[in-house]
Amino acid sequence: MAATRCIGKEEWLDGQRFLDDGIATTSSEQQEDVEKLVDAKFAMFRAKVKSLATENKGPVLERFKHLAYLNKGLCYLSDSYEVLDASRPWLCYWILHSLELLGEKLTAEQSSNVAHFLGQCQCPDGGFAGGPGQIAHLAPTYAAVLALSTLGTEEAFNIIDRPKLQSYLLRMRTPEGAFLMHTSGEVDVRGAYCAAVSAILTNVATPDMFDGTAEWIVSCQTYEGGFAGQPGMEAHGGYTFCSVAALVLLGHERLCDVQALLRWLSQRQMRFEGGFQGRTNKLVDGCYSFWQAGAFPLVHSILSKQEERALSMEAWMFDQRALQEYVLLCCQNHHGGLIDKPGKSRDFYHTCYCLSGLSIAQHFLAGQLREEEILGDPKNELRPTHPVYNISLQCAHNATQHFSSLPVPTPSPR
C-alpha cells in the first residue's frame, strides 16, 4: 500500500509547508531546512515507487538491520557511550523494549546476564542507580523496573528488592506530593511518573505514598494545555506524557483540562513532516513519535469515561498514517537503528521511542489491528505497547500478574 501523502498528493503536501509570512527568523530558517531534508526523503521514496513493478510499493521497516544494531548494542558499546555511564539501565531498557517490539526473543543466557547486571545497579538502601556504585535515582529506577519486567523471568522479577524500593520511593516524596529525582535533587513531573510506575507495577504503593501527587501534577498544566516539568514553566511533550500517564495510573485523570490538553497535543503534529515536535515552535523529532502520540491513547481513555462518542471512535485523534510515514521514510538509518530527523545519527534512545510511536500508530485499543492501519508492507507490524508503561502488552500483563500476587510490603517506621 503506497504512502498516502507522498504518492499522488504531492501538490497538496507542498501546500503544508511552513510559511514565515515574509519575516525570516533563525527558527523559521531551521524549520525550512528540515522540511527540505524531509522532502528529499519523500522524493527518494516516490522515485523508488515509480521504479518498482511490485504490488506492494509502501515503505518497509528494515527489521533485520534494526535487530542487528540492537543485538550488538546489548553485548558491546563503543567508547562514545562513556557519556551515558550514568544511564546504563536506560540503555538496557531502550534496547530490550525495541527488541520486544520487533518480536525478538533473548536467549536464557542473555536474559540472565542483563538481569544480573541490573541487580548490580540496585542500591543497598533501595532504588536503582545509573550504574554500579552510583547513587539511586528515580529515572534509572524506572528504567530498571521496566527492563526487568520486559525480561519477564522469575530471576528478573526477583532482582527487585520490593521493601527497599518502597522505602526509597517514600524517601523521595516531598510534603506536597511531588518527588525528588534523587536525594537533594530536582523536583519535576518525571519524578511523579517514574515513582508511580515503579510503585504500581511492582505493587509496593502505600495508601499515603501519592497523597497530593495528582493535584501537584495538575498545577503543572500550562495555559497552552500541555504540561511543564514544574508549575510556571513551558509545556513540553515528555513532561506532558509523564503527567497524563501518572494521572491515569493514580486514577485522577479527570482533574486536568482534557480539552485544552487535546488541543495542544493535536497542534504538535507537523503538517508537512507528519511527525511530532516537542514544544511550540520547535522542530520535528522522532522521539516525540511516542512522547506526544503516546498521550493520545491516554486522552482517549479519559474521554471514554466522560463522553459516549469516544467509545465509537475507530482511530486515535492524530494522523496515524502520517506518523508512520515520517518514521519509516525519515527516521530509519540505512545501517540499522532509528534517528531524530534526517541528517542525525542513530542511537538507542531514538530507536526505542521511534519504534514505540510506530507501534502506537499501528494499533488501536489494546492492540486491536485493522489491516489498513499498517502503512506499507504488513510485515511492518510491531507488537503493541502498553500506553502507560511503554513495555509490550504481554510483558505488562505478566509483570502485573506476578507482582499483584505478592503482598504490599509494610513500610518501616521513618
Side-chain angles (χ1 to χ4, degrees):
M1 186 178 297
T4 56
R5 296 177 352 126
C6 279
I7 306 299
K9 290 191 175 183
E10 293 95 326
E11 185 176 345
W12 173 86
L13 184 59
D14 204 47
Q16 306 307 307
R17 292 178 181 274
F18 176 78
L19 297 176
D20 65 5
D21 295 325
I23 304 174
T25 65
T26 300
S27 58
S28 71
E29 290 171 352
Q30 290 175 344
Q31 174 62 30
E32 290 168 353
D33 288 343
V34 170
E35 288 182 2
K36 289 177 183 177
L37 292 171
V38 169
D39 188 42
K41 292 289 186 180
F42 290 168
M44 287 175 59
F45 175 68
R46 285 193 292 267
K48 180 179 179 181
V49 166
K50 291 177 182 178
S51 68
L52 293 176
T54 59
E55 290 185 7
N56 184 5
K57 297 181 178 180
V60 174
L61 176 67
E62 301 289 352
R63 184 181 299 267
F64 296 108
K65 291 181 180 179
H66 302 324
L67 287 174
Y69 170 65
L70 292 162
N71 278 309
K72 180 179 179 181
L74 196 62
C75 303
Y76 169 79
L77 294 174
S78 67
D79 292 346
S80 64
Y81 279 90
E82 287 181 356
V83 296
L84 292 178
D85 182 59
S87 300
R88 295 169 75 181
W90 278 110
L91 288 163
C92 292
Y93 164 65
W94 295 330
I95 294 172
L96 291 176
H97 181 51
S98 298
L99 290 171
E100 175 71 17
L101 289 175
L102 291 164
E104 181 82 341
K105 289 291 185 183
L106 268 63
T107 66
E109 182 181 7
Q110 285 177 314
S111 179
S112 182
N113 287 343
V114 176
H116 176 71
F117 170 73
L118 290 170
Q120 292 181 307
C121 296
Q122 191 164 212
C123 297
D125 294 331
F128 290 79
Q134 300 177 23
I135 66 169
H137 192 290
L138 270 179
T141 295
Y142 160 87
V145 167
L146 293 186
L148 291 166
S149 296
T150 300
L151 291 174
T153 63
E154 194 73 20
E155 178 187 15
F157 290 145
N158 289 338
I159 290 291
I160 303 172
D161 189 323
R162 295 172 62 248
K164 288 185 177 180
L165 172 61
Q166 180 192 68
S167 176
Y168 171 67
L169 294 175
L170 288 170
R171 291 199 307 274
M172 293 303 100
R173 186 183 182 278
T174 69
E176 66 267 30
F179 284 80
L180 299 166
M181 292 303 295
H182 59 88
T183 301
S184 301
E186 72 274 24
V187 172
D188 58 53
V189 293
R190 291 176 305 155
Y193 171 65
C194 291
V197 168
S198 300
I200 293 172
L201 189 57
T202 62
N203 193 31
V204 302
T206 63
D208 62 343
M209 184 178 286
F210 296 103
D211 280 353
T213 301
E215 290 78 6
W216 183 82
I217 291 173
V218 170
S219 73
C220 297
Q221 188 169 20
T222 78
Y223 71 95
E224 289 187 280
F227 286 76
Q230 298 174 331
M233 304 297 283
E234 182 184 11
H236 180 283
Y239 292 135
T240 296
F241 175 84
C242 289
S243 297
V244 181
L247 290 173
V248 169
L249 270 177
L250 299 175
H252 292 294
E253 60 270 25
R254 295 188 182 187
L255 292 178
C256 73
D257 184 339
V258 68
Q259 296 297 333
L261 168 64
L262 180 57
R263 181 175 62 250
W264 183 81
L265 282 172
S266 62
Q267 291 173 345
R268 302 285 70 77
Q269 188 168 21
M270 309 299 280
R271 295 194 307 267
F272 183 80
E273 302 92 308
F276 283 83
Q277 62 183 183
R279 292 178 285 159
T280 302
N281 203 39
K282 294 296 181 179
L283 303 176
V284 68
D285 186 334
C287 72
Y288 293 109
S289 300
F290 177 76
W291 294 123
Q292 299 284 30
F296 282 90
L298 304 177
V299 171
H300 183 94
S301 72
I302 299 172
L303 291 176
S304 296
K305 297 176 183 178
Q306 297 178 350
E307 305 177 25
E308 289 187 7
R309 67 180 179 87
L311 297 174
S312 64
M313 293 180 184
E314 295 184 350
W316 304 131
M317 291 173 282
F318 69 93
D319 191 329
Q320 293 171 234
R321 295 178 67 78
L323 178 59
Q324 292 179 66
E325 185 179 277
Y326 178 70
V327 172
L328 292 172
L329 297 181
C330 301
C331 295
Q332 295 194 89
N333 184 283
H334 179 69
H335 299 290
L338 289 97
I339 63 176
D340 164 351
K341 59 177 69 68
K344 297 290 186 178
S345 301
R346 64 181 178 174
D347 58 68
F348 296 111
Y349 169 83
H350 283 92
T351 299
C352 172
Y353 292 112
C354 284
L355 291 176
S356 299
L358 185 60
S359 174
I360 292 288
Q362 289 177 342
H363 299 92
F364 180 69
L365 287 181
Q368 294 181 29
L369 180 80
R370 297 195 309 274
E371 183 179 347
E372 62 267 25
E373 290 174 354
I374 302 296
L375 186 68
D377 194 314
K379 294 179 182 179
N380 288 348
E381 182 190 352
L382 299 171
R383 289 183 173 174
T385 193
H386 193 287
V388 172
Y389 298 129
N390 198 26
I391 56 178
S392 78
L393 292 178
Q394 189 60 54
C395 290
H397 173 75
N398 294 343
T400 299
Q401 274 203 323
H402 173 82
F403 291 116
S404 64
S405 68
L406 304 175
V408 177
T410 302
S412 302
R414 286 188 287 171

